Amino acid sequence: MKTICLYFEIHQIIHLKRYRFFDIGTDHYYYDDYENERSITDIAERSYMPALSAIQDMIRENGQYFKVAFSLSGTGIEQLEMHAPQVLEKLQQLNDTGCVEFLAEPYSHGLSSLANEESFAADVKKQAKKIEEYFGKTPTVLRNSSLIYSDDIGAQAAALGFKGMLTEGAKHVLGWKSPHYVYNCAMAPNLKLLLRDVELSDDISLRFNNSEWDGYPLFADAYINRIAALPEEEQVINIFMELSALGIAQPLSSNILEFMKALPACAKEKGITFSTPSEIFGKLKAVDTLNVPDTLSWVDEERDVSCWLGNPMQREAFNKLYSVADRLRIANDPRINQDWDYLQASNNFRFMTTKPSNVGLDRGIYSSPFDAFTNYMNILGDFINRVNALYPVDIDNDELESLLTTIKNQGDEIEMKDKEITRLQAKVEKMQAAENKLKEKLDKPKAAKKK
């Protein structure tokens, strides 16, 4: 029996402000608060709330038959907390239906998996903790930023305890194979993989409202008929996209939500079900190993990481940022950590790309890739100065870690002694009370005799 795995990403860009060379050392705040509030408010109104309400209606009308999965970046959650809490409330309502699964992903929506294994682990664990706080469930399936994946990243995910990952069904990786099966990781066979059906996903997220597209207009029954016509043994159809596709990339005036609402009824007529990633991993065995020695993603025609690291500017910014990764993680300063999350976000490197793309790229305040690079490097210069100022620069990472371990151990020892002092004080007070009580008891006969 065929099943559709429908997954949506929710992430919000943190917009950096114009930051000049002369601001280094004098201004440690890097963000355009007005643009951040404006953009998240706009996308919540035009996309997130209508789309989530439509999904809620689909669950209400179809019960446990309809299932869907989401992943939220930690930085995206922070923006929603500040400017659009109604979106998180709606997601909690969806969670209460039992028809939704929330996935893990890097908190920063960054590229740490390509640079530093320990930073990647910390990034993912931080987001998983945030998801557990909001929805009461610890994610068991990982979705890396922009579906970035390789054999090595899969091994890292398996080491973190995840049972499965989502990634791209790229033709150059699959070859003659179909994306409609469960595969496993070449370096960690216990890690199962779901691969995005590129054509079926992009028909909704990229082409739905394009009147020049051969498939326009796209109707739900025709869409489901294409899925039903796939070979009988191809059981898993993975349709992955950004939630903003519903309302932003494809405007509400295109009737995109009406199309989505019609999918469950059409699928039910053809005997096609809906499943979450965890349900699929629990029911189906991997049919083969997927070998991905080179990193892939769901971005651009190449389906690789060249949109973030394809030119010297991007690689210089990337290498400079992660040159302080170990030191920053050891120092563990709250304000520095927040800036670290925001500066890791992949869009900071995407703005520097010089590649042509069939998907429009809005660079925001930047007039060119070089402008984006210059602004980011100015901010990064100030940020790295702050990281180095936490501890003397001449202390290497091993020495710093040893020093911080000593400080932590001393702190733990002081805490233990404080607890012991508190316990002894309580014991003394108890003994004093008993002594006073005994004294009072002995004094009563003396007072009576004296009387």
Side-chain angles (χ1 to χ4, degrees):
M1 180 182 289
K2 287 181 171 56
T3 191
I4 295 173
C5 180
L6 190 59
Y7 153 79
F8 296 102
E9 172 204 70
I10 299 177
H11 168 63
Q12 182 63 24
I13 290 175
I14 306 295
H15 295 273
L16 302 178
K17 69 181 181 182
R18 180 64 67 181
Y19 193 93
R20 306 191 185 282
F21 176 79
F22 298 104
D23 294 326
I24 298 174
T26 61
D27 182 2
H28 304 318
Y29 192 77
Y30 313 133
Y31 314 107
D32 185 341
D33 289 336
Y34 172 79
E35 182 57 25
N36 285 325
E37 181 176 359
R38 186 207 63 77
S39 59
I40 188 65
T41 302
D42 178 63
I43 199 171
E45 181 180 336
R46 292 168 53 204
S47 172
Y48 291 167
M49 289 305 293
L52 292 175
S53 295
I55 291 170
Q56 189 174 39
D57 291 341
M58 293 162 75
I59 293 174
R60 189 180 297 119
E61 291 168 7
N62 295 280
Q64 295 294 312
Y65 167 76
F66 179 72
K67 305 287 180 63
V68 65
F70 295 95
S71 74
L72 293 80
S73 69
T75 54
I77 292 175
E78 289 185 16
Q79 291 296 296
L80 292 172
E81 287 172 335
M82 287 189 286
H83 305 302
Q86 69 274 18
V87 175
L88 291 171
E89 291 172 8
K90 181 65 73 174
L91 286 166
Q92 288 175 322
Q93 292 172 16
L94 290 173
N95 180 55
D96 292 339
T97 66
C99 298
V100 175
E101 179 178 5
F102 291 93
L103 311 183
E105 71 162 75
Y107 191 95
S108 65
H109 195 78
L111 307 174
S112 55
S113 61
L114 305 176
N116 188 292
E117 189 170 334
E118 292 185 354
S119 292
F120 177 60
D123 214 8
V124 170
K125 289 176 182 177
K126 184 176 180 180
Q127 186 268 0
K129 184 178 179 182
K130 192 84 169 176
I131 292 296
E132 201 277 332
E133 288 173 0
Y134 266 100
F135 306 109
K137 301 170 185 174
T138 301
T140 59
V141 176
L142 175 64
R143 175 259 183 208
N144 199 5
S145 309
S146 300
L147 297 187
I148 291 173
Y149 178 81
S150 68
D151 295 336
D152 181 64
I153 293 171
Q156 293 179 49
L160 290 171
F162 291 103
K163 64 182 181 182
M165 276 191 76
L166 274 53
T167 189
E168 179 76 339
K171 289 182 180 179
H172 71 275
V173 171
L174 281 170
W176 57 269
K177 297 177 181 177
S178 166
H180 305 140
Y181 294 95
V182 177
Y183 293 90
N184 63 6
C185 172
M187 292 177 63
N190 291 332
L191 185 83
K192 295 180 179 179
L193 303 173
L194 289 181
L195 310 184
R196 185 174 87 112
D197 185 304
V198 177
E199 185 176 350
L200 287 171
S201 298
D202 288 352
D203 282 353
I204 299 175
S205 62
L206 297 182
R207 294 183 281 268
F208 183 82
N209 194 43
N210 182 4
S211 59
E212 297 180 359
W213 171 45
D214 292 341
Y216 180 87
L218 181 62
F219 295 105
D221 55 350
Y223 187 81
I224 293 297
N225 286 341
R226 285 167 57 193
I227 294 174
L230 292 169
E232 184 179 349
E233 62 274 14
E234 297 188 13
Q235 297 184 12
V236 183
I237 293 81
N238 302 305
I239 300 171
F240 304 162
M241 68 190 81
E242 297 177 0
L243 185 62
S244 60
L246 311 181
I248 303 296
Q250 309 304 321
L252 298 181
S253 59
S254 69
N255 294 322
I256 183 67
L257 295 185
E258 286 68 24
F259 168 84
M260 296 299 295
K261 287 181 180 179
L263 290 178
C266 295
K268 190 177 289 186
E269 285 183 3
K270 296 293 183 178
I272 300 170
T273 64
F274 288 82
S275 302
T276 64
S278 286
E279 288 177 336
I280 294 172
F281 289 141
K283 293 176 183 176
L284 300 179
K285 294 181 179 180
V287 298
D288 198 1
T289 295
L290 190 72
N291 293 292
V292 189
D294 300 318
T295 311
L296 63 86
S297 77
W298 71 358
V299 179
D300 290 346
E301 292 182 7
E302 295 85 355
R303 311 292 175 185
D304 58 15
V305 296
S306 59
C307 67
W308 302 291
L309 301 175
N311 65 47
M313 291 186 298
Q314 293 170 309
R315 291 190 292 273
E316 182 180 346
F318 178 81
N319 292 333
K320 187 168 183 179
L321 174 68
Y322 284 100
S323 68
V324 296
D326 293 330
R327 190 176 193 85
L328 181 142
R329 189 180 61 257
I330 294 167
N332 197 26
D333 178 84
R335 176 63 192 278
I336 290 287
N337 287 347
Q338 185 180 52
D339 290 335
W340 172 248
D341 290 335
Y342 295 166
L343 293 179
Q344 281 190 92
S346 61
N347 59 275
N348 293 312
F349 303 96
R350 174 82 164 164
F351 292 149
M352 303 175 200
T353 186
T354 51
K355 280 181 58 181
S357 175
N358 60 350
V359 179
L361 174 62
D362 180 5
R363 297 185 199 270
I365 63 172
Y366 306 123
S367 59
S368 67
F370 182 74
D371 187 29
F373 170 73
T374 303
N375 200 70
Y376 184 79
M377 293 302 282
N378 286 340
I379 290 173
L380 195 55
D382 183 79
F383 176 74
I384 290 177
N385 287 343
R386 289 166 57 209
V387 172
N388 291 334
L390 288 172
Y391 299 97
V393 182
D394 55 355
I395 299 179
D396 62 30
N397 287 341
D398 291 339
E399 191 177 351
L400 178 58
E401 187 162 13
S402 176
L403 174 62
L404 290 175
T405 301
T406 301
I407 293 171
K408 184 180 183 301
N409 290 340
Q410 289 176 343
D412 292 343
E413 189 175 345
I414 291 171
E415 186 178 352
M416 287 178 61
K417 288 182 177 179
D418 286 341
K419 288 180 179 178
E420 182 66 14
I421 290 170
T422 303
R423 188 184 68 80
L424 291 173
Q425 284 177 337
K427 189 173 181 180
V428 169
E429 289 172 2
K430 189 175 180 181
M431 291 173 64
Q432 187 69 48
E435 183 182 342
N436 292 339
K437 193 172 182 181
L438 179 60
K439 186 177 179 183
E440 185 179 329
K441 188 176 180 181
L442 293 173
D443 286 345
K444 278 183 181 178
K446 291 181 181 178
K449 188 175 181 182
K450 195 170 184 181
K451 201 167 184 179

Short mmCIF file of all heavy atoms in Angstrom, two decimals, residues 114-167:
data_model
loop_
_atom_site.label_atom_id
_atom_site.label_comp_id
_atom_site.label_asym_id
_atom_site.label_seq_id
_atom_site.Cartn_x
_atom_site.Cartn_y
_atom_site.Cartn_z
N LEU A 114 29.03 20.52 8.28
CA LEU A 114 30.11 20.52 7.29
C LEU A 114 31.43 20.98 7.89
O LEU A 114 32.46 20.97 7.20
CB LEU A 114 29.76 21.46 6.13
CG LEU A 114 28.43 21.20 5.41
CD1 LEU A 114 28.19 22.27 4.36
CD2 LEU A 114 28.43 19.81 4.79
N ALA A 115 31.40 21.40 9.16
CA ALA A 115 32.58 22.05 9.72
C ALA A 115 33.10 21.44 11.00
O ALA A 115 34.30 21.25 11.17
CB ALA A 115 32.29 23.54 9.96
N ASN A 116 32.20 21.15 11.94
CA ASN A 116 32.65 20.78 13.27
C ASN A 116 31.65 19.80 13.89
O ASN A 116 30.50 20.17 14.17
CB ASN A 116 32.78 22.04 14.14
CG ASN A 116 33.43 21.78 15.48
OD1 ASN A 116 32.86 21.12 16.34
ND2 ASN A 116 34.63 22.31 15.66
N GLU A 117 32.06 18.57 14.10
CA GLU A 117 31.16 17.52 14.56
C GLU A 117 30.56 17.84 15.93
O GLU A 117 29.37 17.61 16.16
CB GLU A 117 31.91 16.18 14.61
CG GLU A 117 31.02 14.99 14.87
CD GLU A 117 31.74 13.67 14.67
OE1 GLU A 117 32.70 13.63 13.89
OE2 GLU A 117 31.32 12.68 15.31
N GLU A 118 31.36 18.36 16.84
CA GLU A 118 30.86 18.67 18.18
C GLU A 118 29.89 19.84 18.15
O GLU A 118 28.89 19.86 18.88
CB GLU A 118 32.03 18.95 19.13
CG GLU A 118 32.87 17.70 19.43
CD GLU A 118 33.95 17.96 20.46
OE1 GLU A 118 34.13 19.13 20.85
OE2 GLU A 118 34.62 17.00 20.86
N SER A 119 30.16 20.84 17.31
CA SER A 119 29.24 21.97 17.17
C SER A 119 27.91 21.50 16.57
O SER A 119 26.84 21.95 16.98
CB SER A 119 29.85 23.06 16.28
OG SER A 119 30.94 23.67 16.91
N PHE A 120 27.98 20.59 15.60
CA PHE A 120 26.76 20.05 15.00
C PHE A 120 25.93 19.30 16.04
O PHE A 120 24.71 19.49 16.13
CB PHE A 120 27.15 19.11 13.86
CG PHE A 120 25.98 18.42 13.20
CD1 PHE A 120 24.97 19.16 12.60
CD2 PHE A 120 25.89 17.03 13.17
CE1 PHE A 120 23.89 18.53 11.99
CE2 PHE A 120 24.82 16.40 12.56
CZ PHE A 120 23.82 17.14 11.97
N ALA A 121 26.58 18.48 16.85
CA ALA A 121 25.87 17.74 17.89
C ALA A 121 25.21 18.69 18.88
O ALA A 121 24.04 18.50 19.25
CB ALA A 121 26.84 16.80 18.61
N ALA A 122 25.94 19.72 19.30
CA ALA A 122 25.38 20.70 20.25
C ALA A 122 24.21 21.44 19.63
O ALA A 122 23.19 21.71 20.29
CB ALA A 122 26.47 21.68 20.69
N ASP A 123 24.32 21.78 18.34
CA ASP A 123 23.29 22.51 17.61
C ASP A 123 21.99 21.70 17.55
O ASP A 123 20.89 22.22 17.80
CB ASP A 123 23.80 22.79 16.18
CG ASP A 123 23.31 24.11 15.62
OD1 ASP A 123 22.70 24.89 16.36
OD2 ASP A 123 23.56 24.36 14.43
N VAL A 124 22.12 20.43 17.24
CA VAL A 124 20.95 19.55 17.12
C VAL A 124 20.32 19.29 18.49
O VAL A 124 19.09 19.33 18.64
CB VAL A 124 21.35 18.23 16.44
CG1 VAL A 124 20.20 17.22 16.52
CG2 VAL A 124 21.73 18.48 14.98
N LYS A 125 21.15 19.02 19.49
CA LYS A 125 20.63 18.75 20.83
C LYS A 125 19.88 19.96 21.40
O LYS A 125 18.86 19.81 22.08
CB LYS A 125 21.77 18.35 21.77
CG LYS A 125 22.35 16.98 21.49
CD LYS A 125 23.55 16.69 22.39
CE LYS A 125 24.18 15.34 22.09
NZ LYS A 125 25.38 15.10 22.92
N LYS A 126 20.38 21.14 21.11
CA LYS A 126 19.73 22.36 21.59
C LYS A 126 18.33 22.52 20.99
O LYS A 126 17.37 22.86 21.68
CB LYS A 126 20.60 23.57 21.25
CG LYS A 126 20.08 24.90 21.80
CD LYS A 126 21.06 26.02 21.50
CE LYS A 126 20.55 27.36 22.05
NZ LYS A 126 21.49 28.47 21.77
N GLN A 127 18.21 22.23 19.69
CA GLN A 127 16.91 22.33 19.04
C GLN A 127 15.96 21.24 19.54
O GLN A 127 14.78 21.49 19.78
CB GLN A 127 17.08 22.24 17.52
CG GLN A 127 15.80 22.49 16.71
CD GLN A 127 15.03 21.22 16.40
OE1 GLN A 127 15.45 20.11 16.78
NE2 GLN A 127 13.91 21.35 15.71
N ALA A 128 16.48 20.02 19.70
CA ALA A 128 15.64 18.91 20.18
C ALA A 128 15.08 19.22 21.56
O ALA A 128 13.92 18.89 21.87
CB ALA A 128 16.45 17.62 20.20
N LYS A 129 15.88 19.85 22.40
CA LYS A 129 15.42 20.24 23.75
C LYS A 129 14.30 21.27 23.65
O LYS A 129 13.33 21.22 24.40
CB LYS A 129 16.60 20.79 24.56
CG LYS A 129 16.24 21.14 25.99
CD LYS A 129 17.47 21.64 26.75
CE LYS A 129 17.08 22.02 28.18
NZ LYS A 129 18.25 22.56 28.93
N LYS A 130 14.44 22.22 22.71
CA LYS A 130 13.41 23.25 22.51
C LYS A 130 12.11 22.62 22.03
O LYS A 130 11.01 22.99 22.49
CB LYS A 130 13.91 24.26 21.48
CG LYS A 130 13.10 25.54 21.38
CD LYS A 130 13.52 26.55 22.42
CE LYS A 130 12.92 27.91 22.18
NZ LYS A 130 13.25 28.87 23.26
N ILE A 131 12.20 21.66 21.13
CA ILE A 131 11.01 20.96 20.64
C ILE A 131 10.33 20.20 21.77
O ILE A 131 9.10 20.19 21.90
CB ILE A 131 11.40 19.99 19.49
CG1 ILE A 131 11.84 20.77 18.25
CG2 ILE A 131 10.24 19.06 19.16
CD1 ILE A 131 10.77 21.63 17.62
N GLU A 132 11.13 19.56 22.61
CA GLU A 132 10.57 18.80 23.73
C GLU A 132 9.85 19.73 24.70
O GLU A 132 8.80 19.39 25.24
CB GLU A 132 11.71 18.04 24.44
CG GLU A 132 11.25 16.85 25.27
CD GLU A 132 10.77 17.25 26.66
OE1 GLU A 132 11.24 18.27 27.17
OE2 GLU A 132 9.92 16.53 27.22
N GLU A 133 10.40 20.93 24.91
CA GLU A 133 9.77 21.90 25.81
C GLU A 133 8.40 22.33 25.29
O GLU A 133 7.45 22.48 26.06
CB GLU A 133 10.67 23.13 25.96
CG GLU A 133 11.93 22.88 26.79
CD GLU A 133 12.87 24.07 26.77
OE1 GLU A 133 12.53 25.09 26.10
OE2 GLU A 133 13.94 24.00 27.40
N TYR A 134 8.29 22.53 23.98
CA TYR A 134 7.04 23.02 23.40
C TYR A 134 6.01 21.93 23.16
O TYR A 134 4.81 22.13 23.35
CB TYR A 134 7.32 23.74 22.07
CG TYR A 134 7.48 25.24 22.23
CD1 TYR A 134 8.73 25.82 22.28
CD2 TYR A 134 6.37 26.07 22.37
CE1 TYR A 134 8.88 27.19 22.44
CE2 TYR A 134 6.50 27.44 22.53
CZ TYR A 134 7.76 28.00 22.57
OH TYR A 134 7.91 29.35 22.75
N PHE A 135 6.47 20.75 22.75
CA PHE A 135 5.53 19.73 22.28
C PHE A 135 5.57 18.43 23.08
O PHE A 135 4.84 17.49 22.76
CB PHE A 135 5.78 19.45 20.80
CG PHE A 135 5.75 20.71 19.95
CD1 PHE A 135 6.92 21.22 19.40
CD2 PHE A 135 4.57 21.40 19.76
CE1 PHE A 135 6.90 22.38 18.64
CE2 PHE A 135 4.54 22.56 19.00
CZ PHE A 135 5.71 23.07 18.44
N GLY A 136 6.45 18.38 24.09
CA GLY A 136 6.46 17.23 24.98
C GLY A 136 7.01 15.95 24.38
O GLY A 136 6.80 14.87 24.92
N LYS A 137 7.70 16.06 23.25
CA LYS A 137 8.24 14.88 22.58
C LYS A 137 9.68 15.15 22.15
O LYS A 137 9.98 16.22 21.62
CB LYS A 137 7.41 14.54 21.34
CG LYS A 137 5.94 14.27 21.62
CD LYS A 137 5.16 14.18 20.33
CE LYS A 137 3.66 14.04 20.59
NZ LYS A 137 2.88 14.09 19.33
N THR A 138 10.54 14.17 22.38
CA THR A 138 11.93 14.28 21.91
C THR A 138 12.02 13.70 20.51
O THR A 138 11.66 12.54 20.30
CB THR A 138 12.89 13.52 22.85
OG1 THR A 138 12.77 14.07 24.17
CG2 THR A 138 14.32 13.65 22.38
N PRO A 139 12.47 14.47 19.53
CA PRO A 139 12.52 13.98 18.14
C PRO A 139 13.42 12.76 18.00
O PRO A 139 14.46 12.66 18.64
CB PRO A 139 13.09 15.17 17.37
CG PRO A 139 12.81 16.37 18.22
CD PRO A 139 12.90 15.88 19.63
N THR A 140 13.00 11.84 17.14
CA THR A 140 13.79 10.64 16.86
C THR A 140 14.27 10.60 15.40
O THR A 140 15.01 9.71 15.02
CB THR A 140 12.98 9.37 17.14
OG1 THR A 140 11.80 9.37 16.31
CG2 THR A 140 12.56 9.29 18.60
N VAL A 141 13.80 11.57 14.61
CA VAL A 141 14.19 11.67 13.20
C VAL A 141 14.83 13.03 12.98
O VAL A 141 14.34 14.05 13.48
CB VAL A 141 12.97 11.49 12.27
CG1 VAL A 141 13.37 11.70 10.80
CG2 VAL A 141 12.36 10.11 12.46
N LEU A 142 15.92 13.05 12.22
CA LEU A 142 16.68 14.28 11.99
C LEU A 142 16.51 14.76 10.56
O LEU A 142 16.54 13.97 9.62
CB LEU A 142 18.16 14.04 12.27
CG LEU A 142 19.14 15.17 11.96
CD1 LEU A 142 18.87 16.39 12.85
CD2 LEU A 142 20.58 14.70 12.14
N ARG A 143 16.37 16.05 10.42
CA ARG A 143 16.36 16.70 9.12
C ARG A 143 17.40 17.81 9.18
O ARG A 143 17.24 18.77 9.93
CB ARG A 143 14.96 17.23 8.84
CG ARG A 143 14.83 18.04 7.56
CD ARG A 143 14.83 19.50 7.88
NE ARG A 143 14.64 20.29 6.68
CZ ARG A 143 15.11 21.52 6.53
NH1 ARG A 143 15.80 22.08 7.48
NH2 ARG A 143 14.88 22.18 5.43
N ASN A 144 18.48 17.68 8.46
CA ASN A 144 19.54 18.68 8.50
C ASN A 144 19.11 19.92 7.71
O ASN A 144 18.20 19.86 6.89
CB ASN A 144 20.82 18.10 7.90
CG ASN A 144 22.06 18.88 8.31
OD1 ASN A 144 21.99 19.81 9.11
ND2 ASN A 144 23.20 18.53 7.75
N SER A 145 19.76 21.05 7.95
CA SER A 145 19.46 22.29 7.24
C SER A 145 19.45 22.03 5.73
O SER A 145 20.41 21.48 5.19
CB SER A 145 20.51 23.35 7.57
OG SER A 145 20.67 23.48 8.97
N SER A 146 18.36 22.45 5.07
CA SER A 146 18.23 22.30 3.61
C SER A 146 18.48 20.88 3.14
O SER A 146 18.95 20.65 2.02
CB SER A 146 19.17 23.28 2.90
OG SER A 146 18.87 24.61 3.25
N LEU A 147 18.15 19.90 3.98
CA LEU A 147 18.31 18.47 3.68
C LEU A 147 19.75 18.08 3.37
O LEU A 147 20.01 17.10 2.66
CB LEU A 147 17.39 18.04 2.52
CG LEU A 147 15.88 18.15 2.74
CD1 LEU A 147 15.13 17.53 1.56
CD2 LEU A 147 15.43 17.49 4.03
N ILE A 148 20.72 18.84 3.89
CA ILE A 148 22.13 18.53 3.68
C ILE A 148 22.45 17.13 4.23
O ILE A 148 22.09 16.81 5.36
CB ILE A 148 23.03 19.58 4.34
CG1 ILE A 148 22.90 20.92 3.60
CG2 ILE A 148 24.48 19.15 4.36
CD1 ILE A 148 23.61 22.07 4.28
N TYR A 149 23.12 16.33 3.42
CA TYR A 149 23.41 14.95 3.84
C TYR A 149 24.64 14.41 3.11
O TYR A 149 24.93 14.76 1.96
CB TYR A 149 22.21 14.04 3.54
CG TYR A 149 22.47 12.59 3.90
CD1 TYR A 149 22.35 12.15 5.21
CD2 TYR A 149 22.87 11.67 2.93
CE1 TYR A 149 22.63 10.82 5.55
CE2 TYR A 149 23.13 10.35 3.26
CZ TYR A 149 23.01 9.94 4.57
OH TYR A 149 23.28 8.64 4.90
N SER A 150 25.36 13.55 3.79
CA SER A 150 26.43 12.73 3.22
C SER A 150 26.56 11.50 4.10
O SER A 150 25.95 11.42 5.18
CB SER A 150 27.76 13.51 3.17
OG SER A 150 28.23 13.73 4.50
N ASP A 151 27.36 10.54 3.67
CA ASP A 151 27.58 9.34 4.49
C ASP A 151 28.12 9.72 5.86
O ASP A 151 27.71 9.16 6.89
CB ASP A 151 28.57 8.41 3.79
CG ASP A 151 28.02 7.85 2.48
OD1 ASP A 151 26.79 7.79 2.34
OD2 ASP A 151 28.83 7.47 1.61
N ASP A 152 29.04 10.67 5.88
CA ASP A 152 29.65 11.08 7.14
C ASP A 152 28.64 11.75 8.06
O ASP A 152 28.61 11.48 9.26
CB ASP A 152 30.81 12.05 6.85
CG ASP A 152 31.50 12.51 8.13
OD1 ASP A 152 32.09 11.67 8.82
OD2 ASP A 152 31.44 13.72 8.44
N ILE A 153 27.77 12.60 7.50
CA ILE A 153 26.74 13.26 8.31
C ILE A 153 25.74 12.23 8.84
O ILE A 153 25.28 12.31 9.98
CB ILE A 153 26.03 14.35 7.49
CG1 ILE A 153 27.00 15.50 7.17
CG2 ILE A 153 24.80 14.90 8.23
CD1 ILE A 153 26.47 16.52 6.19
N GLY A 154 25.43 11.23 8.02
CA GLY A 154 24.55 10.15 8.47
C GLY A 154 25.15 9.41 9.66
O GLY A 154 24.44 9.07 10.62
N ALA A 155 26.46 9.17 9.62
CA ALA A 155 27.13 8.51 10.74
C ALA A 155 27.05 9.37 11.99
O ALA A 155 26.86 8.86 13.11
CB ALA A 155 28.58 8.23 10.38
N GLN A 156 27.19 10.69 11.83
CA GLN A 156 27.06 11.59 12.97
C GLN A 156 25.65 11.53 13.56
O GLN A 156 25.47 11.50 14.78
CB GLN A 156 27.37 13.03 12.54
CG GLN A 156 28.81 13.29 12.14
CD GLN A 156 29.02 14.73 11.71
OE1 GLN A 156 28.63 15.67 12.40
NE2 GLN A 156 29.66 14.92 10.56
N ALA A 157 24.64 11.49 12.69
CA ALA A 157 23.25 11.41 13.15
C ALA A 157 22.99 10.12 13.91
O ALA A 157 22.33 10.11 14.95
CB ALA A 157 22.30 11.52 11.96
N ALA A 158 23.54 9.01 13.39
CA ALA A 158 23.36 7.73 14.07
C ALA A 158 24.03 7.75 15.44
O ALA A 158 23.48 7.21 16.42
CB ALA A 158 23.95 6.61 13.20
N ALA A 159 25.20 8.38 15.52
CA ALA A 159 25.91 8.47 16.81
C ALA A 159 25.12 9.28 17.82
O ALA A 159 25.25 9.08 19.03
CB ALA A 159 27.29 9.08 16.59
N LEU A 160 24.28 10.21 17.34
CA LEU A 160 23.44 11.03 18.23
C LEU A 160 22.18 10.28 18.65
O LEU A 160 21.39 10.81 19.44
CB LEU A 160 23.06 12.34 17.54
CG LEU A 160 24.21 13.35 17.33
CD1 LEU A 160 23.75 14.51 16.45
CD2 LEU A 160 24.70 13.88 18.67
N GLY A 161 21.96 9.10 18.10
CA GLY A 161 20.82 8.28 18.53
C GLY A 161 19.59 8.37 17.64
O GLY A 161 18.55 7.80 17.98
N PHE A 162 19.68 9.05 16.51
CA PHE A 162 18.51 9.15 15.63
C PHE A 162 18.33 7.86 14.84
O PHE A 162 19.29 7.20 14.46
CB PHE A 162 18.67 10.34 14.68
CG PHE A 162 18.60 11.67 15.37
CD1 PHE A 162 19.74 12.40 15.63
CD2 PHE A 162 17.38 12.18 15.79
CE1 PHE A 162 19.68 13.62 16.29
CE2 PHE A 162 17.30 13.40 16.44
CZ PHE A 162 18.46 14.12 16.70
N LYS A 163 17.05 7.53 14.60
CA LYS A 163 16.77 6.29 13.86
C LYS A 163 16.63 6.54 12.37
O LYS A 163 16.61 5.59 11.58
CB LYS A 163 15.52 5.61 14.41
CG LYS A 163 14.22 6.39 14.24
CD LYS A 163 13.06 5.63 14.87
CE LYS A 163 11.73 6.37 14.71
NZ LYS A 163 10.62 5.64 15.37
N GLY A 164 16.49 7.81 11.99
CA GLY A 164 16.34 8.09 10.57
C GLY A 164 16.62 9.54 10.24
O GLY A 164 16.67 10.40 11.12
N MET A 165 16.81 9.80 8.93
CA MET A 165 17.03 11.15 8.43
C MET A 165 16.22 11.37 7.15
O MET A 165 15.87 10.42 6.45
CB MET A 165 18.52 11.40 8.10
CG MET A 165 19.38 11.80 9.27
SD MET A 165 21.03 12.37 8.74
CE MET A 165 20.65 14.03 8.12
N LEU A 166 15.95 12.64 6.87
CA LEU A 166 15.33 13.04 5.61
C LEU A 166 16.41 13.68 4.74
O LEU A 166 17.25 14.43 5.24
CB LEU A 166 14.23 14.08 5.85
CG LEU A 166 12.82 13.59 6.17
CD1 LEU A 166 12.81 12.62 7.34
CD2 LEU A 166 11.91 14.78 6.47
N THR A 167 16.39 13.40 3.45
CA THR A 167 17.32 14.06 2.54
C THR A 167 16.73 14.12 1.14
O THR A 167 15.56 13.76 0.92
CB THR A 167 18.71 13.40 2.55
OG1 THR A 167 19.63 14.21 1.82
CG2 THR A 167 18.68 12.00 1.96
#
